[in-house]
Amino acid sequence: FGEQRTEAIEDLRIAVGAARIHSQTSTRQDDQLSSFTIDDRRDATLIAGGTGVSAFAAFISGLTPEYPHAVRLVYGVRTPELLLFLEEIIGQAARVPRFTVAFFNEAGDEAWTRSSGAAPAGPEYYSGRIALSVACPELTASHDRVFYLSGPPPMLRALGAELQAHGVAPDDIRNDAWE
């Protein structure tokens, strides 16, 4: 805020059963323009903290059962009440076979975690902050995927460094810094 004002432009393109979201963020303070594009030719892991999930909402909504690539959403919030787009995300996870979800609740509400794990094929629920070792089994598999991070800058830095420590190439880590 203050001198650092951010402008965001989102353009949704849906083509032949594949959705792609393109968002550009320009920070007035340093006049740098960064591109944030979900590549519809590769598997994707979307990692969101809090309202950072908004950067992925249009892409998730546009997913169809025929979408050819695996998409994993890892979404962390301080408390379950702060989950945005919850019904839509759960609905898409049930409808789109290659779309999986892991929710993290930083407050550690055990009842939320226990009661939500009833559907074995549904979203996963965890207590605590986003833990890549728990939420991203694809870290031990082939790195033929792109990791997209959106949320508070400290989260982006920490998770980006952790992904690189697991051998993910910097070009395969995309950030949508909104602060």
Side-chain angles (χ1 to χ4, degrees), residues 65 74 169:
V74 177

Side-chain angles (χ1 to χ4, degrees), residues 94-126:
R95 195 172 76 82
V96 179
R98 296 189 54 117
F99 177 55
T100 60
V101 180
F103 291 114
F104 280 81
N105 166 18
E106 200 173 307
D109 183 348
E110 289 183 30
W112 177 78
T113 304
R114 254 195 328 273
S115 67
S116 302
E124 302 159 28
Y125 295 82
Y126 300 99

Side-chain angles (χ1 to χ4, degrees), residues 10 21 23 36 38 51-59 85 150 176:
E10 291 184 339
I21 185 172
S23 173
F36 189 61
I38 296 179
T51 59
V53 74
S54 298
F56 305 130
F59 175 76
F85 311 110
S150 181
D176 183 37

Side-chain angles (χ1 to χ4, degrees), residues 1-97:
F1 300 92
E3 288 185 19
Q4 185 178 12
R5 293 190 303 164
T6 302
E7 300 168 335
I9 303 165
E10 291 184 339
D11 180 26
L12 173 65
R13 294 186 182 104
I14 301 174
V16 193
R20 187 181 121 203
I21 185 172
H22 178 75
S23 173
Q24 292 185 324
T25 303
S26 169
T27 304
R28 186 175 249 215
Q29 181 178 356
D30 56 10
D31 268 350
Q32 291 181 348
L33 187 64
S34 63
S35 179
F36 189 61
T37 303
I38 296 179
D39 185 346
D40 61 8
R41 299 166 298 168
R42 296 175 68 190
D43 290 349
T45 298
L46 316 174
I47 303 173
T51 59
V53 74
S54 298
F56 305 130
F59 175 76
I60 292 167
S61 294
L63 289 173
T64 65
E66 297 79 25
Y67 192 76
H69 299 286
V71 177
R72 177 134 175 100
L73 173 64
V74 177
Y75 180 17
V77 292
R78 292 189 190 276
T79 64
E81 297 80 27
L82 297 176
L83 286 165
L84 302 176
F85 311 110
L86 180 61
E87 289 181 23
E88 183 172 27
I89 291 168
I90 291 173
Q92 284 293 77
R95 195 172 76 82
V96 179

